RNA sequence: GGUGGCAUAGCUCAGCUGGAUAGAGCACCUGCCUUCUAAGCAGGCGGUCCUAGGUUCGAAUCCUAGUGCCAUCACCA
């Protein structure tokens, strides 16, 4: 039984005894900093059943609790708030218990518990990754790790959009203007090379449109009839007919892109357990639609197209199969979801990390899967996140107004390098160690900057304003970790043993850190429930702030009393372990020195 | 127009299922490196929580209406 349950029980008994009433739910909150106390009981709700003034009720209850609960030593009442002071012994004992636990706050999956599959990234293979993809990748990876830490087995996956008209555009432009360029011949990353031809296509295509318009075409017609577009469409048809030349070129150029993505993923530190390719899945789902048609979930229009009517659910009618029998995105997504559960029968739910521009799509998709009667359909979650915008507005690959992922990662590392070298604390480090540290810090700054924001909020990114390395930032937290490591290296005595807590009187600063540490397991669960790395980030920041305040004002290795010294080193060690666990969930590394 | 999301300090963001005087960081100003790493600590300045109603002992939080920004409503994805 935890302390809150103990107190809750005591309050019920106390109110029974004093007022002869039974109250089921007692409202607790952490005591605010400006008042003395550790846990606060809100008295106001009692007024509904007990007549009287809140201060008097609080006082009587406080007296009862101090007499009957050993952990409670003192109390005070302010307005309708009963502030309870818990004993130092309670905090110390509680800490010593968690000190023994290796992965404090992290739960192991229970047998029989269903797994979760998290999809993220899911890029198109016609252009390099940009800042928007970075947010997606960081979020997806982090949420997967958080769910894992909360006690579920997780599979990370992506679906690679490797086919379609957009790919053909790059291919066509390369054929026309590429002169046989390859990543090797140009020393360009494959995704960059292919992206350049995607841009090239768009430029030439726009010229053709202008040309047609000047010849008297209406703009809409010009867009549809520009020779380049027609040629790209023809190429797509050839691809679908498995034309050897087209397929060969498609394979070659896609491979260039995959090699490029691989580098970016590696630099970002994200990974996948399973890749799905649209070229394998785009035909999936058609038989499901046929089934659903029989069951009457879908209906066929006169032209042969198949629809679902969702007006009763407050949505519109949605097409699930074209009149020519080909699949639309929805068809594919239905099929892919089912395929995934087939591939991984232990999976009981799917998480889709996709931008909020597709909110509607996923609402419809989930509803359709529910109507089709899959029991796992209730465990589908669209991890919807806000766009990353520039001061100039939306990022557009075709118009070149994007913050390139590789460039940004490099920038961050370089900034970390400049700051580190200015501070000059790295004597004795090899160049290799330094390079790796700069990466750790630079990426830490970027990842934290993005993940600390609530996923659903949009992020405005100004490339001219650099990301901070001070205050509520990744490097600030990394720095605290490094300082603790320094203490642990210097602590050349045995601090593994549990100290004899009864003799120790806690300093306020120690108590604050203890309280914050104790919250960690709960925070992990909360972050998982909310699919929110921001919860982890903000918690860690609060922990580190408390710890730094403690570090600055209280001697640790220089503590006079041996027991105190051991306890403070333990406290430091546990803090650094929680920082590491938390940052693991954010995909951020922690340094030994910095 | 219909639907959904967002709106908190000059800027970037917290604020859990309603609770005490709305919190951090950046920026600006003051102090603190002969003591465990100053990427730090302590303090100051700074707020009509978009507006107006409502529910409640109590609203930044819940409800209604409005305003602003964004997204979406295609045989696109």
């Amino acid at each position: 039984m935890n302390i809150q349950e103990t107190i809750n029980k005591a309050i019920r008994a106390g109110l029974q005894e004093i007022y002869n009433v039974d109250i089921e739910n007692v409202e607790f909150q952490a005591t605010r900093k400006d008042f003395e106390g550790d846990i606060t009981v809100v008295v106001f709700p009692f007024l509904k059943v007990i007549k009287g003034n809140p201060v008097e009720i609080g006082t009587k209850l406080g007296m009862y609790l101090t007499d009957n609960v050993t952990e409670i030593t003192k109390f005070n009442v302010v307005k309708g708030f009963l502030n309870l002071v818990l004993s130092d012994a309670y905090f110390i004992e509680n800490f010593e218990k968690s000190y023994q636990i290796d992965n404090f706050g992290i739960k192991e999956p229970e047998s029989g518990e269903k797994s979760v599959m998290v999809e993220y990234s899911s890029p198109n293979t016609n252009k390099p990754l940009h800042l928007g993809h970075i947010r997606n990748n960081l979020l997806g990876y982090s949420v997967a790790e958080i769910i894992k830490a909360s006690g579920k087995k997780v599979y990370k996956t992506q679906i690679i959009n490797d086919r379609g008209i957009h790919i053909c555009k790059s291919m066509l432009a390369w054929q026309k203007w590429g002169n046989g360029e390859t990543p090797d011949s140009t020393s360009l990353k494959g995704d960059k090379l292919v992206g350049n031809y995607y841009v090239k296509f768009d430029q030439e295509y726009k010229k053709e449109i202008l040309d047609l318009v000047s010849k008297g075409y209406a703009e809409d017609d010009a867009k549809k009839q520009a020779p380049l577009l027609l040629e790209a469409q023809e190429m797509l048809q050839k691809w679908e007919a498995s034309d050897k030349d087209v397929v060969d070129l498609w394979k070659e150029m896609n491979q260039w892109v995959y090699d490029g993505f691989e580098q970016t993923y590696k630099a970002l530190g994200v990974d996948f357990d399973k890749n799905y390719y649209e070229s394998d899945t785009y035909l999936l789902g058609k038989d499901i639609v046929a089934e659903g048609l029989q069951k009457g979930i879908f209906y066929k229009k006169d032209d042969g197209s198949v629809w679902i009517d969702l007006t009763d659910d407050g949505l519109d009618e949605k097409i699930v199969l074209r009149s020519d029998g080909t699949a639309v995105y929805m068809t594919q997504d239905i099929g892919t979801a089912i395929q995934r559960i087939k591939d991984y029968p232990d999976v009981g739910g799917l998480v889709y990390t996709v931008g909020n521009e597709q909110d509607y799509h996923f609402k419809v998709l989930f509803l359709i899967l529910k109507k089709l009667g899959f029991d796992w359909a209730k465990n589908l979650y669209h991890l919807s996140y806000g766009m990353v915008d520039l001061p100039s507005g939306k990022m557009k690959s075709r118009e070149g107004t994007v913050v390139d992922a590789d460039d940004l990662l490099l920038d961050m590392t370089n900034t970390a390098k400049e700051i580190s070298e200015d501070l000059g604390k790295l004597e004795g480090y090899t160049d290799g160690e330094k390079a790796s540290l700069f990466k750790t810090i630079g990426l830490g700054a970027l990842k934290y900057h993005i993940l600390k924001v609530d996923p659903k909020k949009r992020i405005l990114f100004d490339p001219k304003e650099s990301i901070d390395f001070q205050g509520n930032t990744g490097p600030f937290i990394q720095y605290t970790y490094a300082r603790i490591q320094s203490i642990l290296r210097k602590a050349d005595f045995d601090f593994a043993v549990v100290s004899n807590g009864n003799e120790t009187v806690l300093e306020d600063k120690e108590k604050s850190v203890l309280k914050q540490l104790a919250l960690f397991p709960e925070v992990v669960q909360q972050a998982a429930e909310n699919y929110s790395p921001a919860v982890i980030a903000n918690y860690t920041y609060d922990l580190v702030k408390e710890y730094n305040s403690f570090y600055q004002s209280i001697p640790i290795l220089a503590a006079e009393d041996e027991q105190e010294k051991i306890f403070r080193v333990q406290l430091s060690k546990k803090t650094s372990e929680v920082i590491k666990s938390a940052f693991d969930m954010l995909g951020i590394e922690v340094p030994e020195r910095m």
Side-chain angles (χ1 to χ4, degrees), chain A residues 452-464:
Chain A
K452 77 171 176 187
V453 182
D454 184 336
K456 64 176 182 266
K457 291 192 175 171
R458 81 174 193 137
I459 291 180
L460 189 68
F461 184 87
D462 189 345
K464 288 199 293 291

Side-chain angles (χ1 to χ4, degrees), chain A residues 122-241:
Chain A
S122 303
N124 290 340
T125 58
N126 63 335
K127 51 181 186 270
L129 304 179
H130 57 65
L131 181 52
H133 297 107
I134 289 186
R135 185 177 199 189
N136 180 303
N137 276 265
L138 298 181
L139 263 176
Y141 177 90
S142 177
V143 164
E145 292 298 318
I146 289 168
I147 294 174
K148 213 185 272 180
S150 79
K152 285 185 178 147
K153 186 168 163 52
V154 173
Y155 299 99
K156 295 177 223 174
T157 189
Q158 61 176 334
I159 183 158
I160 299 169
N161 299 299
D162 62 345
R163 50 142 249 131
I165 190 73
H166 49 289
I167 314 292
C168 292
K169 287 177 180 175
S170 303
M171 285 159 61
L172 186 65
W174 182 85
Q175 265 185 344
K176 285 187 177 302
W177 299 289
N179 300 315
E181 275 187 5
T182 69
D184 282 341
S185 78
T186 54
S187 309
L188 218 54
K189 264 179 92 223
D191 52 333
K192 295 277 174 8
L193 180 70
V194 171
N196 288 346
Y197 286 102
Y198 184 64
V199 173
K200 176 75 175 168
F201 176 94
D202 196 59
Q203 290 165 346
E204 297 296 331
Y205 173 52
K206 279 190 174 138
K207 278 188 210 163
E208 287 189 353
I209 293 170
L210 280 178
D211 189 45
L212 288 178
V213 170
S214 73
K215 284 178 182 158
Y217 280 75
E219 191 167 337
D220 280 354
D221 292 339
K223 277 183 184 164
K224 283 179 195 153
Q225 292 179 26
L228 266 175
L229 183 70
L230 297 178
E231 230 177 311
Q233 282 166 344
E234 194 184 321
M235 195 178 226
L236 182 60
Q237 279 163 15
K238 281 187 181 167
W239 181 91
E240 292 194 358

Side-chain angles (χ1 to χ4, degrees), chain A residues 429 433 436-445 447-448 473-485 488-489 540 543-544 573 575-594:
Chain A
Y429 258 32
E433 285 169 328
S436 139
L437 176 64
F438 300 151
K439 221 184 115 182
T440 296
I441 299 172
L443 254 96
K447 290 184 177 185
Y448 188 89
T473 68
F476 167 72
I477 293 166
Q478 289 171 323
Y479 174 69
T480 302
Y481 181 87
R483 286 212 295 201
I484 295 175
Q485 297 318 300
L488 297 182
R489 280 192 296 270
T540 311
L543 172 67
V544 162
K573 179 164 181 270
T575 301
S576 77
E577 285 171 10
V578 169
I579 292 172
K580 174 148 182 14
S581 294
F583 265 33
D584 278 349
M585 288 177 221
L586 301 180
I588 303 176
E589 292 179 9
V590 286
E592 295 303 306
R593 283 174 60 184
M594 69 185 272

Side-chain angles (χ1 to χ4, degrees), chain A residues 318-342:
Chain A
K318 194 79 189 175
I319 188 162
V320 291
L321 205 61
R322 291 195 186 97
S323 53
D324 62 3
T326 56
V328 290
Y329 237 81
M330 194 60 78
T331 329
Q332 181 194 159
D333 280 352
I334 293 167
T336 306
I338 293 165
Q339 186 63 44
R340 285 173 170 170
I341 305 290
K342 272 189 197 152

